[in-house]
Amino acid sequence: MSTLVIAEHDNSSLKTSTLNTVAAAQAIGGDIDILVAGADCGAVSTAAAAIPGIGKVLVADNAAYAHQLAENVSLLIAEVAAGYDNILAPATPNCKNFLPRVAALLDVAQISDVTAVESGDTFQRPIYAGNVIATVQSADAKKVITVRTTAYDAAPATGGSATVEALSAVHDAGISSFVNEEVAVSERPELTSAAVVISGGRGMQNGENFKLLEGIADKLGAAIGASRAAVDAGFVPNDMQVGQTGKIVAPDLYIAVGISGAIQHLAGMKDSKVIVAINKDEDAPIFQVADYGLVADLFDALPEFESSI
Amino acid sequence: MKVLVAVKRVVDYNVKVRAKADGSDVDLNNVKMSINPFCEIAVEEAVRLKEAGVATEVVAVSIGEKNCQEQIRTALALGADRGIQVEVAGKVEPLVVAKLLKAVVDKEQPQLVILGKQSIDGDNNQTGQMLGALANMGQGTFASEVVVEGDKVNVTREIDGGLQTVSLKLPAIVTTDLRLNEPRYASLPNIMKAKKKPLDVFTPEDLGVAVTSHLTQVKVAPPAARQAGIKVADVQELVDKLKNEAKVIS
Ligand SMILES: Cc1cc2nc3c(=O)[nH]c(=O)nc-3n(C[C@H](O)[C@H](O)[C@H](O)COP(=O)(O)OP(=O)(O)OC[C@H]3O[C@@H](n4cnc5c(N)ncnc54)[C@H](O)[C@@H]3O)c2cc1C
Ligand SMILES: Nc1ncnc2c1ncn2[C@@H]1O[C@H](COP(=O)(O)O)[C@@H](O)[C@H]1O
């Protein structure tokens, strides 16, 4: 059995989600290689080669892969996939963008958001906003899988010494091009790998009031998330949305502030170890999943909380 | 230009779906069915393109049993011009949906195909990308803005950390994210009018596509239940519990 893990990176650093995916590959068993597709991504391949237990790191370093355009990268992966039984990538927005294209090129199904490996061909995945866990068996010779990163602890990042092999294949489909990107750089930990997440909902009333969460996040080393309602209302950027159709998080501590607890929101955070809810409505559904519920006005509770920690 | 929109019939987003006691499947008896919310956004975008004079015709296609015609009618009531149903029994996997849509694309030759980014039942997030590969078209997934300019479309996408804009040669695929638009409500007169709009039905055989199955659902089960929590009286008690009981802050 051999597995190819697709590295998630930004051309300069390897993302933790790659390590979660390696852990899932280890759960399947067999040989594991990593593919790094990017441009000027030498540092990423060096980091990938340091992951213990990796056979080789394949690097496709070319301008055609700079922004990991799905049209180009999928052609590359489908070609490299010939030598592997399983193709795994983290279920991040970036990999969700190109991996189904790879599956279609290989004429196999994709199994999205795998949370457990039962055997070489049988996997668990949440469906219906996580209200149900399905066990699915694949009849395909090649399995194309995205891994829910919160379901796997990150594999160790250092200690290994895989060989690095450059791939010369250049695939430019010529049907798409990158125009620009507006990406906010944050000093805070990444939402999906932070140990503590504090999220605000419609109850925050506006973007300015998210400052009340920032002070707490600073003290706890937390990432800041949001409900869809807060994002739709323009309080905060879209990539902060936690939920069925946003980010999936499972930190040690999740604090939901002014969030009612719709199923779509719960889908993104209910696997957190400890959940705190602060809401002025004692009947809010969020309290059904909260370990500690505080019925209070957030504008009173947050400043007091910040000064008590 | 012609715009093709893929709409899926799914359980309504307000329904909390449960597994059947025997674990064979989810219990969908007597639950409300609707158009997948992301598909509703897709229809709205297509209709807006038509209203802006960019699109000339909007065709809504759904793959499923006869009752998915209800969702096609919804799309027609929202402003689509005609409908296509591909009649398939039971569940169809995204790869097969993509192959059927590819066949419809070959027949209809749309310049733009708009799909939802995700169906809220299977949570797959695959079909648009797969169609892109099969039809060799560029894709703008998780779109929050779509601008057609000549023979290209610029799509702004929701990505990690913010937004990315890509330029795609037409014909192209777009999959919708939540911020693309806010769908309108269908008015009663439009619902009446929709009943008279044309709706063609095809079988996979008509389209020359074999309906294959790659995955078997072995069982379904409820997720691990959370232990019931408590309500704390005030902020001080909360902080005390987090420090001394849960030990998640120091
Ligand atoms: C297809 C689809 C996908 C979706 N995906 C997601 C998703 O990924 N993530 C997501 O979050 N949602 C998602 N949603 C939306 C979801 O259904 C809810 O609408 C949303 O989560 C509600 O956000 P909210 O809890 O912030 O707002 P509301 O439901 O309006 O709740 C606000 C809460 O704040 C409380 N509050 C108000 N003022 C105060 C105060 N001063 N102090 C304390 N508490 C206060 C209120 O009591 C209330 O409980 C999706 C919906 C659809 C249809
Ligand atoms: N049976 C279907 N009929 C029509 N469109 C579909 C069907 N299944 C999926 N789609 C389209 O593909 C999108 C993504 O679905 P999925 O890949 O299943 O998450 C949906 O929002 C629809 O636009």
Side-chain angles (χ1 to χ4, degrees):
Chain A
M1 183 97 79
S2 62
T3 298
L4 181 69
V5 168
I6 315 298
E8 169 87 354
H9 66 89
D10 57 6
N11 289 326
S12 53
S13 64
L14 185 74
K15 302 287 174 193
T16 315
S17 54
T18 312
L19 300 172
N20 305 109
T21 308
V22 167
Q26 286 163 347
I28 296 176
D31 298 332
I32 305 172
D33 291 349
I34 295 183
L35 173 66
V36 177
D40 297 323
C41 54
V44 179
S45 38
T46 307
I51 302 173
I54 303 303
K56 56 184 176 189
V57 174
L58 305 170
V59 190
D61 195 331
N62 190 283
Y65 311 127
H67 301 282
Q68 305 213 1
L69 289 173
E71 299 78 4
N72 300 351
V73 167
S74 59
L75 294 173
L76 169 75
I77 300 173
E79 183 183 271
V80 177
Y84 296 90
D85 301 306
N86 309 300
I87 317 298
L88 264 62
T92 53
N94 181 37
C95 295
K96 285 175 179 173
N97 183 41
F98 59 67
L99 208 66
R101 263 186 110 102
V102 174
L105 291 170
L106 298 172
D107 196 27
V108 300
Q110 173 179 295
I111 313 172
S112 299
D113 275 298
V114 164
T115 52
V117 175
E118 289 195 357
S119 72
D121 66 1
T122 307
F123 309 90
Q124 290 181 11
R125 60 178 301 259
I127 53 174
Y128 291 94
N131 285 314
V132 180
I133 308 296
T135 303
V136 293
Q137 187 172 23
S138 164
D140 288 322
K142 247 183 236 313
K143 284 146 197 93
V144 173
I145 291 172
T146 63
V147 174
R148 181 161 290 196
T149 55
T150 52
Y152 290 91
D153 289 335
T158 53
S161 55
T163 52
V164 178
E165 201 176 289
L167 298 177
S168 53
V170 179
H171 292 278
D172 187 345
I175 47 180
S176 61
S177 58
F178 169 84
V179 178
N180 61 38
E181 221 164 65
E182 283 169 50
V183 178
V185 246
S186 162
E187 298 291 301
R188 297 187 192 286
E190 269 180 66
L191 198 46
T192 47
S193 53
V196 181
V197 173
I198 181 163
S199 292
R202 200 195 309 267
M204 298 300 297
Q205 289 179 3
N206 56 46
E208 184 69 10
N209 288 335
F210 267 72
K211 291 219 169 74
L212 295 168
L213 303 182
E214 285 170 15
I216 297 169
D218 288 343
K219 282 193 161 173
L220 297 178
I224 299 182
S227 71
R228 174 188 171 184
V231 176
D232 283 5
F235 301 172
V236 291
N238 56 272
D239 67 305
M240 284 169 66
Q241 179 179 313
V242 170
Q244 179 188 15
T245 60
K247 297 243 160 83
I248 310 287
V249 303
D252 296 335
L253 173 61
Y254 186 86
I255 307 175
V257 185
I259 293 178
S260 61
I263 37 182
Q264 293 85 8
H265 188 78
L266 301 186
M269 46 63 78
K270 70 179 160 45
D271 292 326
S272 305
K273 290 206 183 75
V274 174
I275 297 175
V276 168
I278 302 176
N279 196 303
K280 67 178 179 188
D281 171 12
E282 60 175 340
D283 295 323
I286 191 76
F287 288 123
Q288 291 164 20
V289 299
D291 299 281
Y292 303 109
L294 175 62
V295 181
D297 190 306
L298 68 90
F299 296 101
D300 301 328
L302 289 178
E304 190 183 344
F305 187 69
E306 185 183 337
S307 57
S308 323
I309 52 176
Chain B
M1 78 178 189
K2 191 192 283 186
V3 181
L4 188 73
V5 187
V7 298
K8 185 176 181 190
R9 175 185 173 88
V10 296
V11 66
D12 187 80
Y13 79 97
N14 281 307
V15 176
K16 184 163 184 210
V17 173
R18 284 172 215 284
K20 283 185 192 163
D22 67 2
S24 59
D25 206 346
V26 293
D27 192 353
L28 292 183
N29 257 327
N30 295 320
V31 302
K32 185 178 174 208
M33 301 298 283
S34 298
I35 182 170
N36 185 44
F38 288 101
C39 301
E40 205 175 358
I41 296 171
V43 174
E44 176 68 33
E45 194 65 16
V47 171
R48 287 188 192 184
L49 285 171
K50 189 175 170 198
E51 287 168 347
V54 176
T56 46
E57 189 185 26
V58 177
V59 182
V61 51
S62 190
I63 290 151
E65 290 167 9
K66 185 152 201 293
N67 51 19
C68 79
Q69 289 190 7
E70 288 171 27
Q71 281 61 46
I72 298 175
R73 292 287 171 204
T74 304
L76 297 175
L78 292 170
D81 298 297
R82 62 190 169 88
I84 296 174
Q85 180 213 354
V86 182
E87 173 101 35
V88 183
K91 274 185 225 168
V92 219
E93 295 174 14
L95 180 63
V96 178
V97 173
K99 287 181 181 176
L100 292 166
L101 290 174
K102 160 75 166 60
V104 175
V105 164
D106 288 344
K107 229 175 145 66
E108 294 283 339
Q109 300 285 318
Q111 287 296 96
L112 200 61
V113 188
I114 314 184
L115 305 89
K117 85 161 174 182
Q118 180 172 340
S119 37
I120 61 161
D121 50 1
D123 285 333
N124 301 306
N125 196 334
Q126 300 175 5
T127 307
Q129 297 90 315
M130 286 180 158
L131 176 60
L134 299 177
N136 192 29
M137 288 185 197
Q139 63 180 48
T141 54
F142 325 148
S144 66
E145 198 187 354
V146 175
V147 183
V148 177
E149 272 171 15
D151 59 352
K152 293 213 166 104
V153 59
N154 276 0
V155 181
T156 302
R157 314 177 46 238
E158 297 200 358
I159 60 164
D160 256 343
L163 297 169
Q164 176 189 69
T165 304
V166 291
S167 168
L168 312 170
K169 275 194 186 149
L170 294 175
I173 311 276
V174 167
T175 78
T176 62
D177 215 319
L178 296 168
R179 262 66 62 179
L180 182 57
N181 60 49
E182 236 177 280
R184 69 196 68 189
Y185 292 96
S187 67
L188 199 56
N190 284 344
I191 293 172
M192 300 312 290
K193 262 192 245 161
K195 292 187 178 154
K196 298 205 186 74
K197 291 186 178 174
L199 196 170
D200 293 320
V201 181
F202 297 100
T203 63
E205 295 75 58
D206 295 338
L207 299 172
V209 176
V211 175
T212 52
S213 166
H214 299 249
L215 300 174
T216 316
Q217 183 171 289
V218 181
K219 64 168 192 194
V220 297
R226 287 193 78 89
Q227 289 215 316
I230 58 160
K231 290 243 170 80
V232 291
D234 51 31
V235 170
Q236 291 318 312
E237 189 186 349
L238 175 62
V239 172
D240 174 63
K241 293 282 185 197
L242 292 178
K243 279 189 176 154
N244 302 316
E245 193 175 86
K247 298 191 168 50
V248 282
I249 63 175
S250 48

